[in-house]
Amino acid sequence: EDQVTQSPEALRLQEGESSSLNCSYTVSGLRGLFWYRQDPGKGPEFLFTLYSAGEEKEKERLKATLTKKESFLHITAPKPEDSATYLCAVQEGAGGTSYGKLTFGQGTILTVHP
Amino acid sequence: KAGVTQTPRYLIKTRGQQVTLSCSPISGHRSVSWYQQTPGQGLQFLFEYFSETQRNKGNFPGRFSGRQFSNSRSEMNVSTLELGDSALYLCASSSSLTSQETQYFGPGTRLLVL
């Protein structure tokens, strides 16, 4: 069964203090790994999709990387508006049981203090 | 392009009642997935529909059901509500035209069962 573990559960940073969030996964054939941001009371907002080990994607202060066992979300010089819960999810690439199904980690709650 | 919309945004029901939630996907998207989000279990996959057919189903009891219409809009129904069904219900749509199945989420329907 697919498993996704995110660490740390919560992270407090000062504005400008760079850090990384980790997502470890176990899946039978990876179709894709997804990062989302979720603000309280809202639906997850799509950030990145990664498909193969070695792939990297960047958007503003965020950079996502992927290996065969884990993904990192690097946050460079964060601002208070980056405070949110960051969710990692995987989609298995093994046919029918994978259709439309994302398996999510529990998320990392990021708080950035001014 | 308009995003995924969900109605209603909030619902209060009592135990034993049933509820129907609605989801309109992004224009052109034919796949709709439903998830339940609770503080204890996180985001869990309910089911996925594509071209009016359920292609995949998560580990939820038969009280949870859904359907999709020819215009790709989807509904989910929960019968005989239990207190534990209180949650944020999220739907997500994807184009499902290629292997790049990024899912885009709606704002969710907050269901409270009393």
Side-chain angles (χ1 to χ4, degrees):
Chain A
E1 187 174 309
D2 300 350
Q3 282 194 316
V4 181
T5 303
Q6 291 188 244
S7 61
E9 291 184 11
L11 181 62
R12 292 173 173 268
L13 299 173
Q14 288 297 127
E15 184 172 4
E17 179 187 2
S18 301
S19 188
S20 297
L21 282 55
N22 178 263
C23 171
S24 298
Y25 64 91
T26 304
V27 65
S28 302
L30 181 70
R31 174 171 284 186
L33 184 140
F34 305 84
W35 282 98
Y36 290 88
R37 165 196 171 125
Q38 186 174 27
D39 293 302
K42 297 188 177 181
E45 174 188 346
F46 170 70
L47 293 174
F48 303 108
T49 304
L50 301 168
Y51 296 105
S52 57
E55 191 174 359
E56 299 182 353
K57 289 192 176 173
E58 285 188 71
K59 178 183 176 181
E60 296 180 354
R61 295 177 293 282
L62 300 176
K63 179 180 176 180
T65 62
L66 181 64
T67 72
K68 288 188 178 179
K69 293 184 178 181
E70 58 189 351
S71 176
F72 290 93
L73 185 65
H74 306 279
I75 303 176
T76 302
K79 299 181 178 182
E81 54 261 42
D82 294 323
S83 297
T85 296
Y86 289 85
L87 296 165
C88 169
V90 298
Q91 184 174 21
E92 184 186 18
T97 58
S98 71
Y99 286 131
K101 177 183 178 181
L102 296 181
T103 300
F104 281 85
Q106 291 290 350
T108 293
I109 302 170
L110 174 66
T111 305
V112 182
H113 296 284
Chain B
K1 231 179 196 181
V4 178
T5 58
Q6 293 187 244
T7 56
R9 294 293 313 278
Y10 304 94
L11 268 179
I12 300 176
K13 293 285 186 179
T14 56
R15 282 187 304 171
Q17 288 187 310
Q18 75 165 17
V19 66
T20 299
L21 313 181
S22 180
C23 172
S24 293
I26 292 171
S27 178
H29 283 190
R30 296 165 64 189
S31 170
V32 174
S33 296
W34 287 89
Y35 296 84
Q36 180 194 67
Q37 186 175 29
T38 59
Q41 299 297 318
L43 271 145
Q44 293 186 292
F45 173 75
L46 281 158
F47 30 66
E48 187 258 5
Y49 286 86
F50 179 82
S51 292
E52 303 179 66
T53 300
Q54 186 183 88
R55 293 195 300 184
N56 201 2
K57 189 177 189 302
N59 296 323
F60 279 82
R63 300 185 297 106
F64 292 82
S65 63
R67 60 178 176 169
Q68 186 180 35
F69 302 94
S70 58
N71 62 358
S72 294
R73 189 177 69 86
S74 178
E75 290 180 347
M76 69 163 282
N77 183 275
V78 188
S79 62
T80 319
L81 284 165
E82 300 177 0
L83 296 179
D85 297 333
S86 294
L88 181 66
Y89 289 89
L90 294 157
C91 83
S93 75
S94 69
S95 63
S96 198
L97 293 176
T98 70
S99 61
Q100 298 178 344
E101 297 183 2
T102 295
Q103 295 185 18
Y104 298 90
F105 283 82
T109 294
R110 174 76 62 184
L111 173 64
L112 177 62
V113 182
L114 301 175

